[in-house]
């Protein structure tokens, strides 16, 4: 069944020996998003019985509660699309051949790598960040554009459903309708 290869187990040990914790994860995301992505994929795909598995939610909460930045968005986006590609939980599926059998293992569906709840929490954090930037119009416009493009990508890839976010994102689009990307996102929401 699932689980990690020896190489992945070694890498996982290295991650913990390096001192990565949910508390300092945001620092790694800001300084080196690529390493953060690889580390999180290993942590989040660790077998349920391992001690790592028990901390998964703490890592996810730390990520979801991060300040909005291009790096935190990149990490959330990569983890969200990773789950969509790899079919979630256990070992990554070789060449997609076994995909169908692996979808219903044991007690039902495999959990996606990044649970929608955490993606929604992160989006809410980003919306709040944008709203609180009124002191710097240029930064606010840039951040709103970034968030709109990020949301369009999540919607396009079927990672978030419009229904789940409709009210919050619609209000955001209306508030920032002066920005072209927000107006575009609003049209996408209306058309679904």
């Amino acid at each position: 069944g699932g689980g990690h290869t020896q190489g992945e187990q070694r890498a996982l040990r290295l991650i913990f020996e390096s001192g990565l914790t949910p508390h300092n994860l945001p620092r790694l995301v800001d300084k080196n998003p690529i390493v953060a992505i690889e580390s999180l994929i290993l942590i989040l795909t660790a077998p349920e019985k391992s001690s790592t598995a028990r901390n998964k939610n703490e890592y996810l909460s730390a990520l979801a509660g991060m300040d909005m930045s291009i790096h935190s968005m990149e990490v959330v986006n990569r983890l969200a699309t990773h789950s969509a590609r790899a079919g979630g939980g256990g070992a990554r599926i070789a060449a997609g051949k076994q995909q169908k059998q692996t979808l219903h293992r044991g007690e039902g569906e495999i959990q996606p790598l990044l649970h929608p709840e955490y993606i929604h929490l992160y989006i809410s954090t980003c919306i709040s960040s944008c709203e609180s930037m009124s002191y710097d119009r240029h930064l606010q416009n840039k951040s709103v554009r970034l968030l709109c493009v990020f949301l369009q990508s999540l919607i396009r890839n079927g990672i978030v459903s419009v229904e789940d976010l409709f009210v919050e994102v619609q209000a955001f689009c209306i508030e920032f309708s002066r920005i072209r990307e927000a107006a575009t996102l609003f049209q996408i929401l209306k058309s679904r």
Side-chain angles (χ1 to χ4, degrees), residues 106-152:
E107 59 294 342
E109 298 277 316
I110 291 177
Q111 287 298 303
L113 200 55
L114 196 55
H115 197 277
E117 181 184 328
Y118 290 106
I119 300 174
H120 295 166
L121 180 60
Y122 179 72
I123 291 167
S124 297
T125 304
C126 289
I127 288 175
S128 302
S129 293
C130 288
E131 289 168 346
S132 69
M133 287 175 186
S134 50
Y135 59 88
D136 183 342
R137 188 74 172 242
H138 177 72
L139 178 65
Q140 187 178 47
N141 290 355
K142 202 170 116 185
S143 301
V144 168
R145 277 196 206 95
L146 189 63
L147 180 54
C148 289
V149 170
F150 174 67
L151 286 168
Q152 283 177 36

Side-chain angles (χ1 to χ4, degrees), residues 1-130:
H4 284 100
T5 65
Q6 267 185 313
E8 287 173 328
Q9 283 168 348
R10 259 199 309 279
L12 200 54
R13 208 166 34 248
L14 200 60
I15 289 167
F16 294 111
E17 285 169 6
S18 74
L20 180 64
T21 63
H23 179 69
N24 61 29
L25 174 69
R27 245 191 358 249
L28 180 62
V29 169
D30 283 332
K31 299 277 183 269
N32 197 332
I34 303 302
V35 171
I37 289 163
E38 291 306 320
S39 301
L40 283 166
I41 288 171
L42 282 169
I43 290 166
L44 297 174
T45 56
E48 286 307 322
K49 289 176 288 297
S50 69
S51 57
T52 318
R54 291 195 285 276
N55 293 350
K56 284 179 188 177
N57 291 348
E58 289 172 40
Y59 282 99
L60 289 172
S61 297
L63 179 62
M66 271 192 76
D67 290 338
M68 177 181 169
S69 71
I70 189 113
H71 285 165
S72 63
M73 255 180 211
E74 183 185 349
V75 173
V76 169
N77 193 40
R78 282 285 301 279
L79 291 178
T81 51
H82 181 91
S83 65
R85 259 203 326 277
R92 261 152 283 169
I93 293 144
K97 279 199 257 332
Q98 306 147 312
Q99 191 121 21
K100 284 178 196 63
Q101 300 95 289
T102 9
L103 283 177
H104 298 282
R105 268 217 322 257
E107 59 294 342
E109 298 277 316
I110 291 177
Q111 287 298 303
L113 200 55
L114 196 55
H115 197 277
E117 181 184 328
Y118 290 106
I119 300 174
H120 295 166
L121 180 60
Y122 179 72
I123 291 167
S124 297
T125 304
C126 289
I127 288 175
S128 302
S129 293
C130 288

